[in-house]
Amino acid sequence: MEQLDLTPEWDKTFPKSDKVKHSKVTFVNRFGITLAADMYVPADATGRLPAIAVSGPFGAVKEQSSGLYAQTLAERGFLTIAFDPSYTGESGGMPRYVASPDINTEDFSAAVDFLSTLDSVDPARIGILGVCGWGGFAINAAANDPRIKATVASTMYDISRCTANGYFDAGDNADARYEMRARLAAQRVEDYRNGTYARAGGVVDPLPDDAPQFVKDYHAYYKTPRGYHKRSLNSNAGWNMTSNLAFLNAPILAYADEIRNAVMIVHGEKAHSRYMGETAFRELRGDNKKLLIVPGASHTDLYDKTDIIPFDAITEFYQTYLK
């Protein structure tokens, strides 16, 4: 296992709860990458607990939204971990700042491996929760891994669709995709020549006057004290530019209709990404699938606004399907 440099400090964007016990843990995925996670355990826990692995948003770290979800669900009786995906945050993997539809889906299953071996966890009651882009990966993981008994995708993105088609599918044509492939192929040569990987840039800063509202919302989270974190890609220089190549040819929700276990998709009524969640929900089959639209909520409202995130409904969902 790779030795990781884990900070001993509480450096989250949310306050520490006195209702849970917190610790740092590590585990290894199928590709040999060591992942770092924060574990949250109910302070009064006894026996084997239901467990939930949490990650996201896309370009965030566990000290941001995913940690908040994990800590809040631990307050409600679940053992939880919030992990940094491969190549990001405190997790291992080289080169840094790479996203992969395969490896990032595997990260969820590796978390299930880890949780399944804990004496404090009931391995028959493990769920996952993905925020934003990791909502899409969570659904992909659920399609591939029947050990995942319940999946929540909150304010989800389908990163493959958004990469290949652009927002609202406005660039869904072969010529646009060819131009992107050609541009990124040329970037590969430059990266190889330079021995470094060019970064795509995080959330735009300063904001242009004509920025869409959802970009303003991202800025208000990632670039202000509300959500800024020094290890967050979106708060800083972003992903490696060539990461997009993997998503052009890999539709991650291709087998969503084959998921037999429970899935809940949560979206804000006013979220720019809502169409991705609604499309994903239409692909799901069975009466254990749920779609919850939060009135008046934007995409980023479901990152950290605890008075808006429907934790009661999410908790009830997990209690129902992690019996």
Side-chain angles (χ1 to χ4, degrees):
M1 183 181 293
E2 182 180 355
Q3 293 300 309
L4 303 180
D5 183 17
L6 305 180
T7 179
E9 303 170 357
W10 181 268
D11 59 349
K12 323 300 184 196
T13 59
F14 52 91
K16 188 175 184 179
S17 171
D18 60 4
K19 298 178 182 178
V20 305
K21 299 176 182 177
H22 165 262
S23 61
K24 291 288 187 79
V25 297
T26 58
F27 56 95
V28 179
N29 71 12
R30 189 169 55 86
F31 294 94
I33 299 168
T34 302
L35 303 183
D38 287 297
M39 180 183 290
Y40 300 91
V41 183
D44 57 355
T46 58
R48 291 197 157 195
L49 301 176
I52 303 167
V54 189
S55 196
F58 192 72
V61 288
K62 65 187 182 304
E63 289 75 21
Q64 296 172 307
S65 179
S66 62
L68 174 64
Y69 272 82
Q71 179 175 260
T72 304
L73 290 169
E75 291 177 332
R76 292 163 176 254
F78 304 93
L79 184 151
T80 66
I81 59 171
F83 64 87
D84 283 329
S86 294
Y87 309 111
T88 67
E90 292 185 308
S91 287
M94 292 295 290
R96 304 302 292 165
Y97 317 125
V98 177
S100 161
D102 185 8
I103 296 174
N104 294 141
T105 298
E106 157 65 18
D107 288 343
F108 269 122
S109 287
V112 175
D113 294 340
F114 169 72
L115 291 170
S116 297
T117 65
L118 298 180
D119 291 339
S120 52
V121 169
D122 181 347
R125 295 191 292 161
I126 296 176
I128 62 175
L129 189 152
V131 185
C132 183
W134 258 261
F137 295 137
I139 293 174
N140 195 32
N144 199 49
D145 192 339
R147 298 174 303 167
I148 300 168
K149 302 304 182 184
T151 299
V152 172
S154 182
T155 196
M156 69 156 282
Y157 259 51
D158 177 348
I159 295 296
S160 294
R161 178 180 181 180
C162 194
T163 301
N165 299 351
Y167 279 113
F168 313 110
D169 299 324
D172 183 12
N173 66 82
D175 287 342
R177 283 186 286 274
Y178 181 84
E179 289 174 7
M180 184 185 300
R181 291 181 179 112
R183 183 172 65 254
L184 294 177
Q187 185 63 52
R188 289 181 63 130
V189 176
E190 288 302 306
D191 289 348
Y192 194 85
R193 179 179 290 116
N194 296 332
T196 59
Y197 293 87
R199 304 281 287 278
V203 173
V204 61
D205 187 37
L207 278 170
D209 293 337
D210 60 349
Q213 183 58 48
F214 73 89
V215 174
K216 294 178 181 177
D217 291 343
Y218 280 136
H219 187 278
Y221 180 76
Y222 285 108
K223 291 293 189 174
T224 72
R226 171 185 163 196
Y228 177 85
H229 196 278
K230 63 183 180 181
R231 289 191 293 274
S232 167
L233 281 70
N234 289 342
S235 291
N236 296 286
W239 295 96
N240 285 352
M241 199 175 292
T242 55
S243 281
N244 277 344
L245 277 168
F247 295 98
L248 284 169
N249 290 12
I252 59 173
L253 302 185
Y255 296 101
D257 62 339
E258 297 184 6
I259 300 173
R260 299 187 182 185
N261 290 328
V263 178
M264 181 180 192
I265 295 176
V266 180
H267 249 297
E269 177 189 16
K270 297 182 178 179
H272 69 284
S273 52
R274 175 178 168 179
Y275 72 99
M276 293 187 240
E278 290 178 327
T279 299
F281 179 72
R282 288 195 294 270
E283 294 298 314
L284 302 175
R285 300 290 180 266
D287 58 8
N288 58 355
K289 311 302 190 292
K290 300 179 182 295
L291 174 65
L292 175 60
I293 302 298
V294 182
S298 71
H299 180 84
T300 56
D301 283 343
L302 300 185
Y303 281 10
D304 66 334
K305 294 187 177 180
T306 54
D307 58 333
I308 295 177
I309 300 170
F311 278 118
D312 288 345
I314 292 171
T315 299
E316 181 182 5
F317 172 80
Y318 281 127
Q319 288 173 341
T320 298
Y321 293 105
L322 296 181
K323 291 181 180 178

